[in-house]
């Protein structure tokens, strides 16, 4: 129960703070038990970044664990500052970031390179947020290009798991079982019908992808795809002192050449993150009409500002190959699906996301949980990527209005999913060229959107033949 109650049809209560709207648990929103349980398990996805920190930044486990604590502080900022999206990484950009980091020696050199990249990503979000150009991009960018980027990011995430030597090939049983269970609980029409008649099914649905993740981990241990955990008791002790050795305060600032090398990767990361923002608010709109009791503000500029703050936090105190992204697609979809069940199930979209990541931050200090999940961290990452792929493709396809848009979006998606660090740049250029050449009723001059009706898919005939 919270101290300040929301009136029917109004925004969730908040304290105004410039461009932000501060909301605190127990004061502005209630604590949600299902999201708390999810947070105690789903926090392992954040820990899945540790192997990348060890390999590409050359840091020991203890320092990498301290980095995850800084990331945890960043995860709680969106719900705290008025963003209705569950945050995460810019996940589809990770392969591009890794390719960039491979050009630097693990250790101080790679830390400086990661700092340069993260600062540039921060500046892009900050400039677009302060100037409010970020919200204008939503309307200016062609629909086919936006949808193509979303679909392409989903395909890229899926292909990364299915490729030769990928995690699906290495641990097929646990990942296939976990993916099928997660997909069935989250998206199956037959499961939704069962939920209407069965109370147990509704309780299972409350926990989103957690049942599938737990089952995948159990299967992985039983069939020998992952080693059994060495559970230890107590609290974790992130080594802040050791972490300091892997920050720019110790390694020094990167040179101008490093900043120049980071620019293409930073632009690619933003384009993908922009697609995440579209996906996030689309998922909100899919359920918002079912909840007349709460008005949800879709402020794109605030998303940019909060994401800029998170990337700045990472750049100085925890350079992060996953970067700070506006959306954790799989977790946000889980929260949105439960939000659609009504106010009794989830009081506010902010109470769901806020409870989830506050619990995740606390879980980082529970040593038995950290050591229990340590051997199976790849499962959490893979299930997130696979579900992200499904949601991106689903949402992207929904946005396309006619066959012309679908054709252009398909070309953009395929180009974006190519295993080339410049594929995102190529996809954007190709998408814009095809938009002007194919979609616009007038190649030159002012474009009237009403003209698009000429090229829309024909409506099925409702007339019956006369006898």
């Amino acid at each position: 129960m919270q101290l300040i109650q929301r009136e029917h049809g109004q925004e969730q209560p908040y304290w105004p703070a410039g461009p932000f709207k501060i909301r605190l648990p127990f004061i502005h929103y209630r604590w949600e038990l299902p999201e708390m349980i999810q947070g105690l398990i789903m926090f392992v996805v954040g820990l899945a970044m540790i192997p990348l920190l060890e390999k590409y930044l050359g840091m020991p486990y203890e320092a990498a664990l301290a980095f995850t604590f800084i990331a945890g502080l960043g995860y709680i900022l969106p719900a705290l500052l008025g963003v209705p999206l569950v945050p995460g990484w810019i996940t589809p950009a990770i392969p591009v970031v890794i390719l960039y980091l491979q050009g630097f020696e693990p250790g101080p050199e790679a830390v400086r390179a990661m700092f340069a990249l993260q600062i540039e990503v921060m500046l892009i979000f900050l400039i677009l947020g302060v100037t409010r150009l970020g919200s204008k991009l939503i309307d200016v960018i062609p629909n086919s290009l936006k949808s193509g980027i979303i679909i392409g990011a989903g395909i890229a995430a899926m292909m990364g798991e299915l490729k030769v030597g990928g995690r699906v090939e290495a641990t097929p049983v646990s990942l296939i079982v976990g993916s099928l269970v997660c997909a069935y609980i989250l998206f199956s029409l037959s499961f939704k019908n069962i939920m209407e008649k069965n109370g147990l099914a509704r309780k299972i649905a409350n926990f989103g992808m957690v049942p599938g993740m737990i089952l995948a981990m159990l299967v992985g241990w039983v069939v020998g795809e992952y080693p059994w955990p060495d559970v230890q008791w107590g609290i974790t002790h992130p080594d802040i002192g050791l972490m300091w050795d892997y920050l720019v305060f110790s390694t020094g600032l990167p040179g101008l050449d490093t900043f120049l090398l980071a620019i293409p990767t930073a632009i690619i990361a933003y384009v993908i993150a922009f697609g995440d923002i579209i996906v996030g608010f689309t998922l909100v709109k899919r359920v918002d009409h079912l909840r007349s009791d709460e008005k949800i503000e879709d402020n794109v500029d605030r998303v940019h500002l909060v994401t800029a703050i998170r990337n700045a936090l990472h750049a100085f105190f925890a350079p992060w190959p996953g970067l700070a992204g506006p959306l954790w697609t799989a977790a946000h979809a889980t929260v949105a699906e439960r939000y659609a069940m009504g106010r009794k199930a989830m009081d506010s979209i902010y109470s769901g996301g806020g409870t989830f990541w506050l619990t995740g931050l606390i879980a980082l200090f529970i040593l038995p949980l950290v050591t229990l999940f340590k051997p199976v961290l790849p499962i959490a990452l893979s299930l997130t990527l696979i579900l992200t792929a499904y949601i991106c493709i689903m949402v992207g396809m929904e946005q396309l209005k006619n066959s012309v848009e679908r054709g252009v979006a398909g070309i953009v998606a395929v180009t974006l999913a190519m295993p080339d660090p410049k594929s995102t740049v190529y996809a954007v250029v190709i998408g814009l060229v095809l938009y002007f050449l194919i979609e616009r009723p007038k190649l030159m001059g002012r474009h009237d959107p009403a003209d698009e009706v000429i090229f829309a898919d024909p409506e099925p005939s409702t007339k019956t033949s006369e006898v």
Side-chain angles (χ1 to χ4, degrees):
M1 186 64 68
Q2 68 270 28
L3 292 178
I4 308 175
Q5 298 293 328
R6 180 181 77 246
E7 295 183 9
H8 188 88
Q10 300 300 310
E11 269 194 81
Q12 192 70 6
Y14 62 89
W15 291 331
F20 307 112
K21 295 182 176 181
I22 296 176
R23 294 181 174 93
L24 299 176
F26 305 111
I27 296 177
H28 300 103
Y29 62 82
R30 79 184 187 196
W31 194 257
E32 304 284 356
L33 181 61
E35 274 65 43
M36 182 186 77
I37 296 174
Q38 288 188 61
L40 289 173
I41 299 171
M42 298 288 284
F43 84 101
V44 300
V45 176
L47 295 178
M49 187 57 60
I50 290 178
L52 300 184
L53 292 168
E54 292 174 323
K55 181 176 181 180
Y56 295 103
L57 297 189
M59 64 176 58
Y61 174 84
E62 293 75 12
L65 184 62
F67 272 31
T68 64
F69 169 69
I70 301 298
L73 292 176
Y75 296 142
I76 69 175
L77 290 180
L80 174 67
L81 298 178
V83 173
L85 308 181
V86 179
W89 310 334
I90 308 180
T91 308
I94 291 177
V96 181
V97 175
I98 288 175
L99 191 63
Y100 162 75
L101 287 176
Q102 286 175 345
F104 303 90
E105 185 71 23
E109 185 179 339
V111 169
R112 289 192 292 267
M114 194 64 235
F115 171 84
L117 173 60
Q118 200 123 36
I119 280 291
E120 290 177 357
V121 172
M122 180 273 291
L123 287 173
I124 294 174
F125 276 102
L126 181 63
I127 292 170
L128 292 177
V130 170
T131 60
R132 298 188 176 182
L133 290 175
S135 58
K136 292 181 174 60
L137 285 175
I138 296 288
D139 300 321
V140 172
I141 294 180
N143 194 49
S144 57
L145 179 56
K146 289 187 290 188
S147 297
I149 290 172
I150 295 170
I151 296 168
I155 295 173
M158 191 67 186
M159 295 307 296
E161 295 303 302
L162 294 176
K163 68 181 180 181
V164 176
R167 281 182 287 265
V168 172
E169 182 182 61
T171 56
V173 179
S174 55
L175 287 184
I176 291 174
V177 169
S179 299
L180 291 176
V181 172
C182 285
Y184 183 72
I185 292 174
L186 287 174
F187 310 116
S188 171
L189 296 178
S190 64
F191 187 74
K192 291 185 187 300
N193 288 331
I194 295 173
M195 283 170 52
E196 294 178 359
K197 305 174 184 177
N198 190 296
L200 177 60
R202 287 194 294 273
K203 292 179 179 178
I204 292 174
N206 281 338
F207 300 106
M209 63 183 289
V210 168
M213 183 176 293
I214 292 177
L215 183 60
M217 292 174 177
L218 291 174
V219 170
W221 283 324
V222 170
V223 303
E225 290 183 341
Y226 293 94
W228 288 93
D230 177 21
V231 178
Q232 302 172 24
W233 300 95
I235 61 174
T236 57
H237 297 281
D239 197 329
I240 303 298
L242 183 60
M243 179 189 79
W244 198 262
D245 294 336
Y246 295 88
L247 304 178
V248 290
F249 307 109
S250 298
T251 64
L253 293 172
L256 178 60
D257 57 334
T258 304
F259 281 105
L260 293 175
L261 285 172
I263 290 175
T265 306
I267 294 173
I268 290 171
Y270 175 76
V271 172
I272 294 174
F274 180 79
D276 282 343
I277 294 174
I278 298 171
V279 170
F281 281 119
T282 300
L283 290 173
V284 169
K285 290 176 182 177
R286 283 166 58 93
V287 298
D288 188 29
H289 70 281
L290 302 174
R291 292 285 301 271
S292 60
D293 59 286
E294 180 178 14
K295 178 182 177 182
I296 302 175
E297 182 186 21
D298 55 348
N299 191 315
V300 175
D301 297 318
R302 187 180 300 135
V303 176
H304 278 74
L305 293 175
V306 174
T307 308
I309 293 172
R310 291 178 55 220
N311 275 289
L313 180 68
H314 273 295
F316 287 102
F317 298 104
W320 197 252
L323 302 172
L327 184 73
W328 179 1
T329 310
H332 182 66
T334 299
V335 169
E337 287 294 322
R338 210 172 76 78
Y339 177 77
M341 297 179 186
R343 189 168 187 177
K344 186 176 179 181
M346 182 185 294
D347 180 59
S348 167
I349 194 77
Y350 299 98
S351 63
T355 301
F356 179 87
W357 269 128
L358 278 169
T359 304
L361 179 61
I362 295 169
L364 288 172
F365 293 94
I366 304 176
L367 186 59
L369 287 177
V370 172
T371 52
L372 173 67
F373 294 125
K374 185 177 178 181
V376 289
L377 292 180
I379 288 179
L381 180 59
S382 290
L383 290 181
T384 295
L385 288 167
I386 291 170
L387 292 176
T388 295
Y390 178 88
I391 295 167
C392 285
I393 294 171
M394 174 186 69
V395 171
M397 294 293 289
E398 281 183 347
Q399 306 306 304
L400 299 169
K401 302 172 184 175
N402 53 57
S403 58
V404 177
E405 284 191 353
R406 286 191 283 271
V408 173
I411 298 298
V412 171
V414 172
T415 306
L416 182 71
M418 290 171 55
D420 187 312
K422 297 180 181 178
S423 61
T424 307
V425 176
Y426 297 152
V428 172
V429 173
I430 290 172
L432 290 173
V433 170
L434 291 179
Y435 168 73
F436 282 101
L437 287 179
I438 298 177
E439 290 190 56
R440 287 172 63 92
K442 297 179 181 178
L443 185 61
M444 304 297 291
R446 188 176 180 82
H447 172 53
D448 184 0
D451 293 339
E452 290 180 356
V453 71
I454 300 173
F455 301 95
D457 288 340
E459 294 290 334
S461 175
T462 57
K463 296 181 179 180
T464 56
S465 58
E466 296 180 0
V467 179

